[in-house]
Amino acid sequence: MNAVEIEEALSTLAEKPFDAAEFPFQFLEAFGNRETTLKRLRKGDSNASDLPNGVLQRNNIHIAVSPPGQVSETLKALRESPKTAQGKAKFILATDGQLLEAEETASGEILACEFKKFPDHFGFLLPLAGISTIKEIKDNPIDIKATARLNKLYVELLSKNPDWAKAARRPDMNHFMARLVFCYFAEDTDIFQGESLFTSTLERMTESDGSNVAQVLEIIFKAMNLQGEDRAAAKLPRWAEVFPYVNGGLFGGSTDVPTFSKIARSFLLRAGNLNWKEINPDIFGSMIQAVTDEDERGDLGMHYTSVPNILKVLNPLLLDDLRAQLEAADDNKIKLLNLRKRMARIRVFDPACGSGNFLVIAYKQMRAIEFEINQRRGEPDLRTEIPLTNFRGIELRDFPAEIARLALIIAEFQCDVLYRGQKEALADVLPLDSSNWITCDNALHLDWLRLMDVDQAGVKLVGDDLFNSPTDQAEIGFEHKDAEFYICGNPPYKGRNKQSESEKRDTADVFASYPGSYASLDYVANWVIKAAQFCRVTGGSAGLVTTNSICQGEQVALLWPLVFDEGMAITFAHTSFTWSNLASNKAGVTVIVVGLAPRGSKQPVLYSDTEARQVDVIGPYLVPNSTVIVSARNEPLADIAMMYLGNMPKDGGHLIFTKDEGRRLIADEAVDPALVREYYGSEELIHSKPRACLWIEDEQLPEAETNRAIAERLQSVREARLHEKTAPSTRPHANTPHRFVQMSAKNGERAIVVPAISSENRPYLPVGHLLSGPIISSKCYAIYDEELWNFSLVASRMHIVWIGTVCSRMRMDFSYGNKLGWNTFPVPPLTEQNRADLTRCAEEILLIREGHFPNTIADLYDPERNKKPNPNFMPGDLRRAHERNDEVLERIYIGRRFRNDTERLEKLFDLYTKMVASQVKAKKGGSK
Ligand SMILES: C[S@@+](CC[C@H](N)C(=O)[O-])C[C@H]1O[C@@H](n2cnc3c(N)ncnc32)[C@H](O)[C@@H]1O
């Protein structure tokens, strides 16, 4: 169940008459427990409680219904019950139907409230559904409640008005919902005068079957679009005259309202009964956009970008600087005034703004700074000088775009109330600004310079032709022309295989002016390059959240030289962190933040979860002090062994079989044992479960074909290849069915093998050492018949850190590449002694692994176990052997262990740069 569903279920439960015997089960049902689970608890099979009327669900909650007036005593009994600890209850909860008390056992945090009000605190209880809450939600779940109420209304209206669900009317529907949100907010904040004016008018004036709701709403909306003489001429009914002129684009245009059913009317009124004053425009906006999105609706209430994450962009981008200036200004009135004037000129632009959360937070934070300035200058009541319309956005979808504007309006009003007082805020709020400063369009089709009025030629956009004119566009100028520009946001990430055809075309168009092909870039790269182009002209800065893929692997060499050629530098960056939302079933995406500004304009700062470090330069891999871009090589840069991609069978399943089948072929079908080899892909390697394959050299073929079982298999391969549909290039290989389609340049007796894809949660790459003359599949890379110190290198921390940085990732996995990862791996020249020491380390790792037989690499380096807070999950002896290996290798690099991975990377990049330079020099010297 998602948060919205739980909130609804709890609200329904609180409204029902209290049933002491049933309450614990009803409560658990509201959190999504199935009937079978409840049945077992009811029967007592799984109920481990030792209290009268107690229900203990293991690993979850211990509930007890108390006698009237004894809730605190019952909670104490629950706390002291040994069963609570034994059953690992996360919560204890006691109620008598009048009061309710609960406690989170780990934190000791307590909830105490009237029984009827406990759904208001459902954020506190959400961990029971496996949803980890964020403080804002826990303290104030109004945003989820509001989303839930509006969602019900939306779904009901669409079912009653199917034509409004069609693409042509969706914008009207979305506009209608935005109007409602404004009305709910306005009636709870006295923007509308009178107690709950909107909801109470609806209650009074509409029929309970919903039949005239549309007409009443139409009249109310019409009233809010009329002023002065027009209002008098319109002869509004008396009950509608009390609604003020609002417009601001919100009530202009069609006043059409969908038809209401009885249920829709009751949802409309129920939503009105919430206290919308408390709404958080940043949180609510993100949540509510899911209402109109079929794909996202399942996770309703879960989509929420936490303020701390957004501040990872906004603080280093501009807020830190403003706060530093505020501090430096101290009480100096002139300096304070200058800072206030500066802030009035700042334009914040989010070119994929969704419901405007980055803009809202930037606005609110700047208002807080401005308030502090006004306090220090003794002008606390001053009207704000920060124009709301300086916070601009582009958003593709119309509903979030509407909500973004509304969220900003709400944020402005809330700030006015907070800093200037209710009276002043109310005096200024209406009518709303009639301008539209959130553009609903494709950001990649627009000229951002014109949109942000950079050429000061006015910002009205004109399409290339009559049929392609932007529909909904910003149409207003800015108050100050000498602006400072900041781009921010988290644009859509989308790797190549997730992009639609039109998105692929967007990338081709955005990069059209650069030579070469950029098709393999993630969609987000378009925002990075457009931001760079924008900042080159304006001298502005940008801070974007992106997936880390644009700073890893092949994408680096494609994107970053262009960004740097635009005169940009990475002026701040936040290394990988998880961008999560409330959805318990969704692992957050791993993202980074990159900040751009004209080169030389700022001292770069590199942020991680633990530190902020000033550096000379930040490179495209987000490594300090090196801007080098690592390019794939055909041979190793260092004096280390060659590594080869394995063999690709494309055999229709006829050359590969189980080991048992291999034995049977030899024993029953008289197949020559020399033709049956062990076969390893990545699964076979890490689970120590090789399969077998037929491996026939050309000269062995005539003899081999005389065997009936082999001949049959080769015939099957031939046919499979002839009929191959997806990869036509396989078909010619039907003529050589005894050979794999792609053969490695080398095979050998002993192989150091590493999988092409492996989990990033392992502390080391799962490298294996095979002695059986194995055939390695193309899911692995291998080094054949070389000394074992090469194993020591592949198994080292240095290597996995290098691979994690320069090779691409597939989701959360490393994608190993010999050309990009191994051949580029910088290793200092190794002495005989170094090689002997490393060989000993490799032998020790292998011996210890053997000692743990039958545990496999998969068991010994289990990434799942590593995810849990248990960094020492590897067997102690194996971990120590790896640490010795790292110690020996790292001493070769710098004479001691590295302090952390950042230091490792710094050294690796430094060495890489030097080694490449000296090779180039040597080549030049050689060619003279
Ligand atoms: C990752 S969301 C971020 C929205 C918001 N900042 C948040 O955290 O909820 C990206 C937004 O970009 C919008 N978007 C996608 N493609 C776009 C395009 N080509 N132009 C403008 N907006 C786009 C999506 O509709 C979505 O609202």
Side-chain angles (χ1 to χ4, degrees):
M1 279 173 97
N2 64 38
V4 161
E5 289 161 341
I6 293 168
E7 189 279 325
E8 283 172 353
L10 290 180
S11 294
T12 313
L13 176 58
E15 280 163 19
K16 274 193 190 166
F18 182 69
D19 179 340
E22 272 302 298
F23 172 76
F25 307 106
Q26 293 169 331
F27 181 87
L28 290 171
E29 192 182 0
F31 278 90
N33 280 281
R34 296 217 188 102
E35 195 42 51
T36 43
T37 315
L38 298 177
K39 232 184 210 161
R40 292 184 55 221
L41 271 173
R42 266 204 190 89
K43 270 172 60 191
D45 296 359
S46 54
N47 181 2
S49 178
D50 54 351
L51 292 185
N53 301 328
V55 173
L56 169 57
Q57 188 180 40
R58 272 178 215 288
N59 298 317
N60 208 27
I61 189 166
H62 197 175
I63 309 176
V65 173
S66 76
Q70 293 190 25
V71 175
S72 299
E73 292 77 358
T74 308
L75 194 76
K76 184 162 176 272
L78 284 165
R79 193 181 298 122
E80 288 169 357
S81 152
K83 295 288 181 187
T84 297
Q86 283 163 18
K88 297 194 179 130
K90 288 185 219 146
F91 284 87
I92 50 176
L93 185 152
T95 182
D96 60 357
Q98 295 296 319
L99 294 177
L100 181 144
E101 290 188 21
E103 184 175 316
E104 191 178 23
T105 49
S107 63
E109 208 178 322
I110 296 248
L111 164 71
C113 61
E114 277 176 44
F115 179 81
K116 293 258 170 259
K117 298 237 167 96
F118 88 86
D120 289 349
H121 305 275
F122 85 104
F124 175 81
L125 299 162
L126 271 182
L128 287 173
I131 299 171
S132 54
T133 40
I134 293 170
K135 195 172 176 315
E136 290 89 333
I137 302 290
K138 206 166 175 172
D139 295 349
N140 184 10
I142 175 77
D143 303 291
I144 287 191
K145 286 188 165 204
T147 306
R149 304 278 195 278
L150 286 182
N151 180 55
K152 289 216 144 174
L153 176 61
Y154 190 86
V155 172
E156 174 63 21
L157 285 176
L158 284 192
S159 82
K160 181 103 178 90
N161 302 268
D163 53 322
W164 285 67
K166 294 194 184 126
R169 293 227 74 179
R170 269 295 168 103
D172 292 340
M173 181 67 191
N174 296 341
H175 195 57
F176 168 70
M177 294 301 281
R179 286 172 171 173
L180 285 186
V181 171
F182 177 81
C183 292
Y184 288 137
F185 179 76
E187 69 173 352
D188 286 344
T189 47
D190 294 340
I191 294 177
F192 292 165
Q193 282 171 12
E195 181 79 15
S196 298
L197 180 70
F198 181 63
T199 308
S200 63
T201 305
L202 288 171
E203 237 159 13
R204 228 171 350 105
M205 302 308 303
T206 59
E207 304 292 339
S208 62
D209 64 358
S211 55
N212 70 338
V213 172
Q215 286 97 303
V216 171
L217 280 172
E218 273 169 21
I219 294 170
I220 294 177
F221 291 167
K222 190 172 156 198
M224 288 193 267
N225 192 29
L226 288 172
Q227 60 178 333
E229 287 165 14
D230 293 344
R231 184 169 267 253
K235 295 212 169 62
L236 290 169
R238 196 180 293 267
W239 57 263
E241 272 174 7
V242 278
F243 285 93
Y245 173 64
V246 174
N247 198 341
L250 205 54
F251 294 95
S254 157
T255 49
D256 261 13
V257 172
T259 308
F260 272 65
S261 63
K262 183 180 167 128
I263 302 177
R265 177 182 179 270
S266 82
F267 288 148
L268 180 74
L269 299 178
R270 253 170 77 82
N273 290 335
L274 290 175
N275 185 1
W276 288 73
K277 193 170 157 182
E278 309 290 333
I279 222 87
N280 292 296
D282 43 333
I283 299 174
F284 171 67
S286 308
M287 285 185 175
I288 197 194
Q289 43 169 312
V291 166
T292 62
D293 192 314
E294 305 258 318
D295 296 340
E296 285 186 22
R297 207 177 288 144
D299 279 339
L300 207 60
M302 307 295 202
H303 288 279
Y304 161 68
T305 301
S306 74
V307 177
N309 272 349
I310 292 177
L311 289 177
K312 282 183 183 140
V313 176
L314 296 178
N315 278 344
L317 180 65
L318 80 160
L319 297 174
D320 283 347
D321 183 41
L322 296 177
R323 289 191 199 109
Q325 276 205 348
L326 178 66
E327 180 149 350
D330 197 14
D331 284 334
N332 181 319
K333 297 225 161 125
I334 300 292
K335 285 187 179 168
L336 288 167
L337 182 65
N338 285 340
L339 179 56
R340 195 169 74 200
K341 284 187 177 157
R342 179 186 164 199
M343 289 210 295
R345 295 197 317 266
I346 285 177
R347 298 182 195 174
V348 182
F349 173 41
D350 181 346
C353 69
S355 50
N357 48 3
F358 279 69
L359 298 174
V360 165
I361 289 170
Y363 179 77
K364 280 167 63 171
Q365 298 279 333
M366 282 172 60
R367 285 291 302 267
I369 296 170
E370 186 189 44
F371 176 66
E372 182 59 33
I373 294 173
N374 292 349
Q375 292 277 81
R376 290 191 201 170
R377 283 179 48 89
E379 301 162 325
D381 300 329
L382 212 63
R383 183 171 285 145
T384 182
E385 288 179 7
I386 300 175
L388 193 65
T389 50
N390 273 12
F391 295 74
R392 300 224 167 175
I394 309 178
E395 168 54 44
L396 190 61
R397 296 175 297 160
D398 60 345
F399 188 54
E402 288 266 11
I403 294 294
R405 190 153 62 104
L406 204 50
L408 280 164
I409 291 170
I410 291 175
E412 183 184 47
F413 180 76
Q414 287 178 337
C415 286
D416 280 347
V417 171
L418 185 66
Y419 300 130
R420 299 176 51 226
Q422 176 87 355
K423 212 167 124 221
E424 282 73 12
L426 284 173
D428 283 355
V429 64
L430 292 182
L432 299 181
D433 199 326
S434 64
S435 42
N436 170 20
W437 67 102
I438 303 291
T439 301
C440 183
D441 208 330
N442 184 329
L444 304 181
H445 296 176
L446 299 181
D447 178 350
W448 295 0
L449 291 170
R450 294 195 67 193
L451 194 76
M452 293 300 283
D453 201 14
V454 173
D455 59 3
Q456 301 188 15
V459 289
K460 180 119 180 79
L461 292 165
V462 182
D464 293 342
D465 58 57
L466 278 177
F467 304 101
N468 186 27
S469 66
T471 44
D472 195 357
Q473 51 190 249
E475 290 171 351
I476 47 163
F478 289 90
E479 287 180 24
H480 301 268
K481 292 298 178 192
D482 49 344
E484 268 181 51
F485 293 95
Y486 296 93
I487 293 181
C488 61
N490 56 337
Y493 311 133
K494 287 203 181 168
R496 174 78 181 164
N497 53 6
K498 295 243 167 90
Q499 292 169 26
S500 66
E501 283 311 308
S502 78
E503 286 167 339
K504 287 177 187 164
R505 268 198 308 279
D506 287 345
T507 307
D509 291 347
V510 167
F511 285 86
S513 59
Y514 303 105
S517 164
Y518 299 89
S520 57
L521 285 173
D522 287 1
Y523 197 44
V524 68
N526 290 302
W527 275 262
V528 175
I529 196 68
K530 277 187 78 90
Q533 293 163 346
F534 181 90
C535 293
R536 177 174 54 79
V537 178
T538 58
S541 314
L544 297 173
V545 182
T546 96
T547 28
N548 48 14
S549 47
I550 61 163
C551 289
Q552 286 166 346
E554 289 89 353
Q555 297 204 38
V556 171
L558 277 181
L559 176 64
W560 290 98
L562 306 186
V563 175
F564 296 147
D565 281 354
E566 294 287 348
M568 292 297 115
I570 300 179
T571 44
F572 70 90
H574 198 298
T575 52
S576 297
F577 63 98
T578 308
W579 190 266
S580 51
N581 54 42
L582 293 177
S584 56
N585 56 340
K586 282 200 179 155
V589 220
T590 305
V591 296
I592 51 171
V593 176
V594 263
L596 303 177
R599 205 170 15 255
S601 61
K602 287 177 185 169
Q603 162 96 50
V605 184
L606 189 57
Y607 298 83
S608 69
D609 284 340
T610 49
E611 61 169 11
R613 183 175 155 204
Q614 290 208 340
V615 296
D616 291 338
V617 63
I618 300 175
Y621 299 95
L622 308 192
V623 170
N625 304 329
S626 170
T627 50
V628 72
I629 291 177
V630 176
S631 319
R633 306 171 60 93
N634 288 329
E635 289 180 352
L637 174 66
D639 190 6
I640 54 180
M642 280 294 284
M643 182 185 275
Y644 301 90
L645 177 64
N647 306 278
M648 189 191 290
K650 287 261 172 145
D651 60 333
H654 304 292
L655 293 177
I656 317 285
F657 29 83
T658 63
K659 275 191 90 173
D660 279 348
E661 178 67 9
R663 276 185 218 109
R664 202 191 60 73
L665 283 175
I666 294 166
D668 303 346
E669 305 283 349
V671 169
D672 180 355
L675 303 181
V676 179
R677 305 272 287 270
E678 281 194 342
Y679 178 74
Y680 284 88
S682 59
E683 286 295 301
E684 291 82 0
L685 177 75
I686 67 167
H687 293 286
S688 292
K689 275 209 173 123
R691 288 189 286 164
C693 69
L694 272 182
W695 188 264
I696 306 170
E697 301 290 351
D698 289 347
E699 60 277 15
Q700 295 170 315
L701 182 62
E703 172 80 35
E705 271 181 321
T706 60
N707 179 290
R708 191 185 52 85
I710 292 183
E712 275 173 18
R713 282 184 176 269
L714 295 187
Q715 182 54 25
S716 303
V717 175
R718 195 174 285 120
E719 276 171 23
R721 287 183 183 168
L722 275 176
H723 297 108
E724 168 65 44
K725 289 207 175 67
T726 44
S729 60
T730 306
R731 287 179 210 146
H733 295 273
N735 297 328
T736 50
H738 64 293
R739 294 169 66 119
F740 282 28
V741 160
Q742 274 173 36
M743 310 269 279
S744 180
K746 185 170 178 185
N747 291 297
E749 273 309 297
R750 286 178 295 110
I752 297 167
V753 187
V754 61
I757 305 286
S758 58
S759 165
E760 70 167 5
N761 289 318
R762 291 196 182 93
Y764 299 102
L765 289 170
V767 51
H769 185 229
L770 306 172
L771 302 168
S772 51
I775 298 304
I776 305 300
S777 92
S778 52
K779 299 240 167 79
C780 294
Y781 291 90
I783 295 169
Y784 295 102
D785 301 329
E786 289 281 356
E787 289 179 68
L788 213 47
W789 54 263
N790 289 288
F791 176 99
S792 149
L793 298 183
V794 182
S796 68
R797 182 80 203 153
M798 293 297 275
H799 196 50
I800 195 168
V801 168
W802 181 252
I803 295 299
T805 307
V806 304
C807 289
S808 312
R809 300 269 181 112
M810 305 255 293
R811 277 171 248 107
M812 306 292 270
D813 295 333
F814 290 126
S815 171
Y816 196 95
N818 57 346
K819 294 186 176 175
L820 199 52
W822 175 252
N823 291 350
T824 61
F825 186 47
V827 183
L830 299 176
T831 63
E832 276 309 311
Q833 186 59 48
N834 293 151
R835 292 177 184 199
D837 292 344
L838 291 172
T839 301
R840 217 169 317 109
C841 292
E843 285 168 351
E844 194 185 352
I845 292 172
L846 290 168
L847 269 174
I848 289 174
R849 282 191 195 167
E850 259 174 47
H852 284 282
F853 180 83
N855 282 309
T856 62
I857 294 178
D859 303 323
L860 297 172
Y861 300 79
D862 183 351
E864 283 308 309
R865 287 165 64 194
N866 191 35
K867 258 197 238 158
K868 293 176 192 153
N870 178 18
N872 298 334
F873 73 93
M874 282 168 66
D877 51 358
L878 183 60
R879 188 163 32 87
R880 283 190 293 277
H882 270 284
E883 274 164 14
R884 272 191 294 280
N885 185 44
D886 286 337
E887 165 115 32
V888 169
L889 182 61
E890 293 180 11
R891 278 186 183 284
I892 297 171
Y893 279 87
I894 54 164
R896 61 165 171 84
R897 289 290 316 253
F898 287 95
R899 275 185 280 273
N900 50 39
D901 288 344
T902 314
E903 207 190 6
R904 285 187 182 94
L905 279 173
E906 253 180 287
K907 180 68 196 174
L908 285 167
F909 273 90
D910 179 49
L911 187 58
Y912 174 85
T913 312
K914 287 184 179 139
M915 288 176 77
V916 170
S918 77
Q919 277 206 345
V920 172
K921 219 160 142 194
K923 255 196 196 150
K924 276 192 190 152
S927 61
K928 267 182 198 160

